[in-house]
mmCIF file of all heavy atoms in Angstrom:
data_model
loop_
_atom_site.group_PDB
_atom_site.id
_atom_site.type_symbol
_atom_site.label_atom_id
_atom_site.label_comp_id
_atom_site.label_asym_id
_atom_site.label_seq_id
_atom_site.Cartn_x
_atom_site.Cartn_y
_atom_site.Cartn_z
ATOM 1 N N CYS A 241 14.790 64.965 -52.725
ATOM 2 C CA CYS A 241 14.770 63.811 -51.978
ATOM 3 C C CYS A 241 13.783 62.787 -52.490
ATOM 4 O O CYS A 241 13.733 61.704 -51.745
ATOM 5 C CB CYS A 241 14.497 64.151 -50.519
ATOM 6 S SG CYS A 241 12.900 64.967 -50.256
ATOM 7 N N GLU A 242 13.055 62.988 -53.508
ATOM 8 C CA GLU A 242 12.056 62.063 -53.878
ATOM 9 C C GLU A 242 12.643 60.779 -54.563
ATOM 10 O O GLU A 242 13.601 60.849 -55.346
ATOM 11 C CB GLU A 242 11.019 62.558 -54.926
ATOM 12 C CG GLU A 242 10.044 63.453 -54.370
ATOM 13 C CD GLU A 242 8.987 63.813 -55.356
ATOM 14 O OE1 GLU A 242 8.034 63.064 -55.533
ATOM 15 O OE2 GLU A 242 9.087 64.948 -55.895
ATOM 16 N N MET A 243 12.196 59.556 -54.031
ATOM 17 C CA MET A 243 12.663 58.281 -54.593
ATOM 18 C C MET A 243 11.952 57.950 -55.851
ATOM 19 O O MET A 243 10.868 58.291 -56.181
ATOM 20 C CB MET A 243 12.480 57.172 -53.536
ATOM 21 C CG MET A 243 13.185 57.312 -52.210
ATOM 22 S SD MET A 243 14.881 57.289 -52.535
ATOM 23 C CE MET A 243 15.612 57.936 -51.153
ATOM 24 N N LEU A 244 12.776 57.256 -56.695
ATOM 25 C CA LEU A 244 12.344 56.788 -57.985
ATOM 26 C C LEU A 244 10.962 55.963 -57.840
ATOM 27 O O LEU A 244 10.125 56.209 -58.701
ATOM 28 C CB LEU A 244 13.353 56.053 -58.647
ATOM 29 C CG LEU A 244 13.064 55.581 -60.180
ATOM 30 C CD1 LEU A 244 12.787 56.753 -61.073
ATOM 31 C CD2 LEU A 244 14.291 54.828 -60.640
ATOM 32 N N ILE A 245 10.860 55.145 -56.901
ATOM 33 C CA ILE A 245 9.726 54.364 -56.786
ATOM 34 C C ILE A 245 8.440 55.093 -56.625
ATOM 35 O O ILE A 245 7.408 54.909 -57.220
ATOM 36 C CB ILE A 245 9.778 53.187 -55.695
ATOM 37 C CG1 ILE A 245 8.666 52.266 -55.724
ATOM 38 C CG2 ILE A 245 9.938 53.943 -54.334
ATOM 39 C CD1 ILE A 245 8.819 51.151 -54.859
ATOM 40 N N ASP A 246 8.531 56.225 -55.757
ATOM 41 C CA ASP A 246 7.500 57.119 -55.639
ATOM 42 C C ASP A 246 6.966 57.811 -56.873
ATOM 43 O O ASP A 246 5.732 57.979 -57.060
ATOM 44 C CB ASP A 246 7.798 58.119 -54.407
ATOM 45 C CG ASP A 246 7.853 57.442 -53.192
ATOM 46 O OD1 ASP A 246 7.190 56.356 -52.827
ATOM 47 O OD2 ASP A 246 8.770 57.709 -52.436
ATOM 48 N N VAL A 247 7.962 58.342 -57.666
ATOM 49 C CA VAL A 247 7.708 58.927 -58.880
ATOM 50 C C VAL A 247 7.005 58.020 -59.875
ATOM 51 O O VAL A 247 6.027 58.230 -60.487
ATOM 52 C CB VAL A 247 8.873 59.673 -59.457
ATOM 53 C CG1 VAL A 247 8.581 60.207 -60.858
ATOM 54 C CG2 VAL A 247 9.354 60.760 -58.539
ATOM 55 N N LEU A 248 7.577 56.727 -59.977
ATOM 56 C CA LEU A 248 7.017 55.742 -60.975
ATOM 57 C C LEU A 248 5.632 55.389 -60.481
ATOM 58 O O LEU A 248 4.693 55.344 -61.319
ATOM 59 C CB LEU A 248 7.857 54.551 -61.001
ATOM 60 C CG LEU A 248 9.228 54.695 -61.611
ATOM 61 C CD1 LEU A 248 10.103 53.485 -61.364
ATOM 62 C CD2 LEU A 248 9.335 55.001 -63.078
ATOM 63 N N ARG A 249 5.334 55.055 -59.289
ATOM 64 C CA ARG A 249 4.039 54.649 -58.804
ATOM 65 C C ARG A 249 3.023 55.671 -58.644
ATOM 66 O O ARG A 249 1.887 55.462 -59.127
ATOM 67 C CB ARG A 249 4.214 53.920 -57.539
ATOM 68 C CG ARG A 249 4.906 52.483 -57.668
ATOM 69 C CD ARG A 249 4.915 51.646 -56.380
ATOM 70 N NE ARG A 249 3.667 51.459 -55.879
ATOM 71 C CZ ARG A 249 2.854 50.525 -56.192
ATOM 72 N NH1 ARG A 249 3.181 49.614 -57.222
ATOM 73 N NH2 ARG A 249 1.606 50.383 -55.751
ATOM 74 N N GLU A 250 3.370 56.785 -58.020
ATOM 75 C CA GLU A 250 2.383 57.780 -57.676
ATOM 76 C C GLU A 250 2.162 58.816 -58.770
ATOM 77 O O GLU A 250 1.065 59.198 -59.021
ATOM 78 C CB GLU A 250 2.702 58.396 -56.426
ATOM 79 C CG GLU A 250 2.904 57.414 -55.229
ATOM 80 C CD GLU A 250 1.694 56.480 -55.048
ATOM 81 O OE1 GLU A 250 0.600 56.935 -55.268
ATOM 82 O OE2 GLU A 250 1.958 55.310 -54.857
ATOM 83 N N ARG A 251 3.235 59.267 -59.401
ATOM 84 C CA ARG A 251 3.000 60.238 -60.403
ATOM 85 C C ARG A 251 2.850 59.695 -61.848
ATOM 86 O O ARG A 251 2.087 60.176 -62.517
ATOM 87 C CB ARG A 251 4.318 61.199 -60.396
ATOM 88 C CG ARG A 251 4.490 61.902 -59.109
ATOM 89 C CD ARG A 251 4.840 63.369 -59.395
ATOM 90 N NE ARG A 251 5.500 63.906 -58.149
ATOM 91 C CZ ARG A 251 6.433 64.833 -58.200
ATOM 92 N NH1 ARG A 251 6.912 65.104 -59.254
ATOM 93 N NH2 ARG A 251 6.785 65.239 -57.024
ATOM 94 N N LEU A 252 3.668 58.758 -62.136
ATOM 95 C CA LEU A 252 3.560 58.149 -63.528
ATOM 96 C C LEU A 252 2.600 57.026 -63.648
ATOM 97 O O LEU A 252 2.426 56.384 -64.661
ATOM 98 C CB LEU A 252 4.927 57.815 -64.057
ATOM 99 C CG LEU A 252 6.032 59.099 -63.967
ATOM 100 C CD1 LEU A 252 7.355 58.716 -64.278
ATOM 101 C CD2 LEU A 252 5.453 60.115 -64.955
ATOM 102 N N ARG A 253 2.010 56.514 -62.449
ATOM 103 C CA ARG A 253 1.017 55.523 -62.357
ATOM 104 C C ARG A 253 1.580 54.190 -62.988
ATOM 105 O O ARG A 253 0.628 53.351 -63.381
ATOM 106 C CB ARG A 253 -0.238 55.953 -63.091
ATOM 107 C CG ARG A 253 -0.696 57.359 -62.690
ATOM 108 C CD ARG A 253 -0.881 57.591 -61.238
ATOM 109 N NE ARG A 253 -2.162 57.018 -60.757
ATOM 110 C CZ ARG A 253 -2.339 56.831 -59.418
ATOM 111 N NH1 ARG A 253 -1.506 57.240 -58.514
ATOM 112 N NH2 ARG A 253 -3.479 56.237 -58.925
ATOM 113 N N LEU A 254 2.741 53.871 -62.822
ATOM 114 C CA LEU A 254 3.311 52.547 -63.196
ATOM 115 C C LEU A 254 3.374 51.752 -61.863
ATOM 116 O O LEU A 254 4.310 51.713 -61.135
ATOM 117 C CB LEU A 254 4.715 52.755 -63.869
ATOM 118 C CG LEU A 254 4.622 53.471 -65.179
ATOM 119 C CD1 LEU A 254 6.167 53.744 -65.610
ATOM 120 C CD2 LEU A 254 3.878 52.819 -66.189
ATOM 121 N N LYS A 255 2.389 50.930 -61.793
ATOM 122 C CA LYS A 255 2.259 50.134 -60.538
ATOM 123 C C LYS A 255 2.885 48.834 -60.478
ATOM 124 O O LYS A 255 2.882 47.941 -59.613
ATOM 125 C CB LYS A 255 0.730 49.860 -60.271
ATOM 126 C CG LYS A 255 -0.127 51.214 -60.112
ATOM 127 C CD LYS A 255 0.301 51.981 -58.903
ATOM 128 C CE LYS A 255 -0.487 53.200 -58.754
ATOM 129 N NZ LYS A 255 -0.311 53.836 -57.491
ATOM 130 N N GLY A 256 3.709 48.397 -61.604
ATOM 131 C CA GLY A 256 4.330 47.145 -61.645
ATOM 132 C C GLY A 256 5.423 47.092 -60.763
ATOM 133 O O GLY A 256 5.822 45.923 -60.197
ATOM 134 N N THR A 257 6.086 48.205 -60.433
ATOM 135 C CA THR A 257 7.204 48.266 -59.516
ATOM 136 C C THR A 257 6.640 48.304 -58.103
ATOM 137 O O THR A 257 5.816 49.141 -57.781
ATOM 138 C CB THR A 257 7.953 49.627 -59.759
ATOM 139 O OG1 THR A 257 8.513 49.538 -61.147
ATOM 140 C CG2 THR A 257 9.251 49.700 -58.816
ATOM 141 N N LYS A 258 7.105 47.253 -57.393
ATOM 142 C CA LYS A 258 6.364 47.019 -56.060
ATOM 143 C C LYS A 258 7.305 47.592 -54.847
ATOM 144 O O LYS A 258 8.490 47.546 -54.833
ATOM 145 C CB LYS A 258 6.215 45.552 -55.750
ATOM 146 C CG LYS A 258 5.391 44.826 -56.804
ATOM 147 C CD LYS A 258 4.006 45.418 -56.953
ATOM 148 C CE LYS A 258 3.134 44.678 -57.863
ATOM 149 N NZ LYS A 258 2.151 45.435 -58.668
ATOM 150 N N ARG A 259 6.625 48.153 -53.887
ATOM 151 C CA ARG A 259 7.213 48.598 -52.677
ATOM 152 C C ARG A 259 7.184 47.478 -51.581
ATOM 153 O O ARG A 259 6.094 46.978 -51.415
ATOM 154 C CB ARG A 259 6.589 49.915 -52.154
ATOM 155 C CG ARG A 259 7.076 50.221 -50.646
ATOM 156 C CD ARG A 259 6.678 51.505 -50.172
ATOM 157 N NE ARG A 259 7.725 52.549 -50.503
ATOM 158 C CZ ARG A 259 7.509 53.499 -51.274
ATOM 159 N NH1 ARG A 259 6.442 53.900 -51.873
ATOM 160 N NH2 ARG A 259 8.580 54.370 -51.421
ATOM 161 N N SER A 260 8.239 47.248 -50.971
ATOM 162 C CA SER A 260 8.258 46.153 -49.904
ATOM 163 C C SER A 260 9.099 46.640 -48.776
ATOM 164 O O SER A 260 8.696 47.158 -47.832
ATOM 165 C CB SER A 260 8.564 44.814 -50.523
ATOM 166 O OG SER A 260 8.414 43.786 -49.511
ATOM 167 N N CYS A 261 10.443 46.411 -48.904
ATOM 168 C CA CYS A 261 11.341 46.627 -47.762
ATOM 169 C C CYS A 261 11.808 47.997 -47.557
ATOM 170 O O CYS A 261 12.103 48.420 -46.342
ATOM 171 C CB CYS A 261 12.535 45.686 -47.859
ATOM 172 S SG CYS A 261 13.737 46.235 -49.123
ATOM 173 N N ASP A 262 11.889 48.869 -48.639
ATOM 174 C CA ASP A 262 12.455 50.165 -48.557
ATOM 175 C C ASP A 262 13.767 50.323 -48.134
ATOM 176 O O ASP A 262 14.355 51.309 -47.736
ATOM 177 C CB ASP A 262 11.603 50.996 -47.674
ATOM 178 C CG ASP A 262 10.310 51.645 -48.370
ATOM 179 O OD1 ASP A 262 10.514 51.854 -49.623
ATOM 180 O OD2 ASP A 262 9.377 51.981 -47.761
ATOM 181 N N VAL A 263 14.637 49.192 -48.156
ATOM 182 C CA VAL A 263 16.048 49.210 -47.710
ATOM 183 C C VAL A 263 16.815 48.381 -48.704
ATOM 184 O O VAL A 263 18.034 48.002 -48.285
ATOM 185 C CB VAL A 263 16.279 48.773 -46.236
ATOM 186 C CG1 VAL A 263 15.678 49.842 -45.237
ATOM 187 C CG2 VAL A 263 15.637 47.353 -46.008
ATOM 188 N N GLN A 264 16.477 48.088 -49.888
ATOM 189 C CA GLN A 264 17.258 47.530 -50.977
ATOM 190 C C GLN A 264 17.715 46.082 -50.572
ATOM 191 O O GLN A 264 18.757 45.655 -50.745
ATOM 192 C CB GLN A 264 18.599 48.361 -51.157
ATOM 193 C CG GLN A 264 19.261 48.077 -52.450
ATOM 194 C CD GLN A 264 20.459 49.040 -52.652
ATOM 195 O OE1 GLN A 264 20.766 49.931 -51.885
ATOM 196 N NE2 GLN A 264 21.193 48.736 -53.709
ATOM 197 N N VAL A 265 16.653 45.412 -49.985
ATOM 198 C CA VAL A 265 16.979 44.002 -49.658
ATOM 199 C C VAL A 265 16.088 42.774 -50.430
ATOM 200 O O VAL A 265 16.567 41.887 -50.696
ATOM 201 C CB VAL A 265 16.663 43.760 -48.130
ATOM 202 C CG1 VAL A 265 16.741 42.324 -47.665
ATOM 203 C CG2 VAL A 265 17.638 44.591 -47.250
ATOM 204 N N CYS A 266 14.899 43.314 -50.797
ATOM 205 C CA CYS A 266 13.928 42.325 -51.273
ATOM 206 C C CYS A 266 13.942 42.119 -52.800
ATOM 207 O O CYS A 266 13.552 41.131 -53.385
ATOM 208 C CB CYS A 266 12.581 42.457 -50.827
ATOM 209 S SG CYS A 266 11.757 43.967 -51.405
ATOM 210 N N GLY A 267 14.236 43.277 -53.519
ATOM 211 C CA GLY A 267 14.129 43.191 -54.991
ATOM 212 C C GLY A 267 12.806 43.430 -55.554
ATOM 213 O O GLY A 267 12.618 43.468 -56.852
ATOM 214 N N ALA A 268 11.766 43.604 -54.888
ATOM 215 C CA ALA A 268 10.397 43.948 -55.465
ATOM 216 C C ALA A 268 10.343 45.175 -56.186
ATOM 217 O O ALA A 268 9.605 45.402 -57.100
ATOM 218 C CB ALA A 268 9.412 43.809 -54.271
ATOM 219 N N CYS A 269 11.210 46.094 -55.892
ATOM 220 C CA CYS A 269 11.192 47.395 -56.591
ATOM 221 C C CYS A 269 12.041 47.598 -57.653
ATOM 222 O O CYS A 269 12.443 48.670 -58.183
ATOM 223 C CB CYS A 269 11.480 48.539 -55.556
ATOM 224 S SG CYS A 269 13.114 48.507 -54.974
ATOM 225 N N THR A 270 12.853 46.447 -57.983
ATOM 226 C CA THR A 270 13.654 46.395 -59.109
ATOM 227 C C THR A 270 13.239 47.051 -60.483
ATOM 228 O O THR A 270 12.265 46.729 -60.944
ATOM 229 C CB THR A 270 14.435 45.038 -59.385
ATOM 230 O OG1 THR A 270 14.939 44.598 -58.087
ATOM 231 C CG2 THR A 270 15.387 45.093 -60.419
ATOM 232 N N VAL A 271 14.085 47.960 -60.877
ATOM 233 C CA VAL A 271 13.870 48.472 -62.271
ATOM 234 C C VAL A 271 15.116 48.511 -62.951
ATOM 235 O O VAL A 271 16.279 48.243 -62.284
ATOM 236 C CB VAL A 271 13.352 49.900 -62.299
ATOM 237 C CG1 VAL A 271 11.949 50.066 -61.677
ATOM 238 C CG2 VAL A 271 14.296 50.882 -61.611
ATOM 239 N N LEU A 272 15.324 48.671 -64.219
ATOM 240 C CA LEU A 272 16.630 48.840 -64.805
ATOM 241 C C LEU A 272 16.945 50.178 -65.124
ATOM 242 O O LEU A 272 16.151 51.026 -65.688
ATOM 243 C CB LEU A 272 16.696 47.921 -66.275
ATOM 244 C CG LEU A 272 16.264 46.495 -66.204
ATOM 245 C CD1 LEU A 272 16.264 45.780 -67.584
ATOM 246 C CD2 LEU A 272 17.194 45.753 -65.129
ATOM 247 N N VAL A 273 18.217 50.602 -64.775
ATOM 248 C CA VAL A 273 18.592 51.920 -65.090
ATOM 249 C C VAL A 273 19.840 51.813 -65.976
ATOM 250 O O VAL A 273 20.933 51.043 -65.519
ATOM 251 C CB VAL A 273 18.972 52.660 -63.798
ATOM 252 C CG1 VAL A 273 19.637 54.087 -64.172
ATOM 253 C CG2 VAL A 273 17.764 52.878 -62.907
ATOM 254 N N ASP A 274 19.675 52.190 -67.253
ATOM 255 C CA ASP A 274 20.758 51.951 -68.264
ATOM 256 C C ASP A 274 21.066 50.456 -68.348
ATOM 257 O O ASP A 274 22.323 50.044 -68.461
ATOM 258 C CB ASP A 274 22.019 52.775 -68.015
ATOM 259 C CG ASP A 274 21.770 54.248 -67.992
ATOM 260 O OD1 ASP A 274 20.994 54.656 -68.801
ATOM 261 O OD2 ASP A 274 22.580 55.136 -67.482
ATOM 262 N N GLY A 275 20.073 49.629 -68.176
ATOM 263 C CA GLY A 275 20.171 48.263 -68.318
ATOM 264 C C GLY A 275 20.656 47.327 -67.007
ATOM 265 O O GLY A 275 20.770 46.198 -67.058
ATOM 266 N N ASN A 276 20.975 48.199 -65.942
ATOM 267 C CA ASN A 276 21.411 47.658 -64.745
ATOM 268 C C ASN A 276 20.309 47.577 -63.735
ATOM 269 O O ASN A 276 19.655 48.470 -63.565
ATOM 270 C CB ASN A 276 22.690 48.331 -64.090
ATOM 271 C CG ASN A 276 23.885 48.307 -65.064
ATOM 272 O OD1 ASN A 276 24.210 47.293 -65.585
ATOM 273 N ND2 ASN A 276 24.315 49.587 -65.489
#
Side-chain angles (χ1 to χ4, degrees):
C241 60
E242 282 189 84
M243 293 297 163
L244 183 57
I245 190 169
D246 296 319
V247 173
L248 292 172
R249 288 184 58 81
E250 303 309 319
R251 296 222 197 145
L252 301 173
R253 314 305 285 166
L254 297 173
K255 302 292 187 172
T257 303
K258 305 299 186 210
R259 167 173 266 119
S260 185
C261 72
D262 274 336
V263 291
Q264 197 173 358
V265 172
C266 72
C269 70
T270 299
V271 298
L272 301 181
V273 178
D274 294 337
N276 298 309

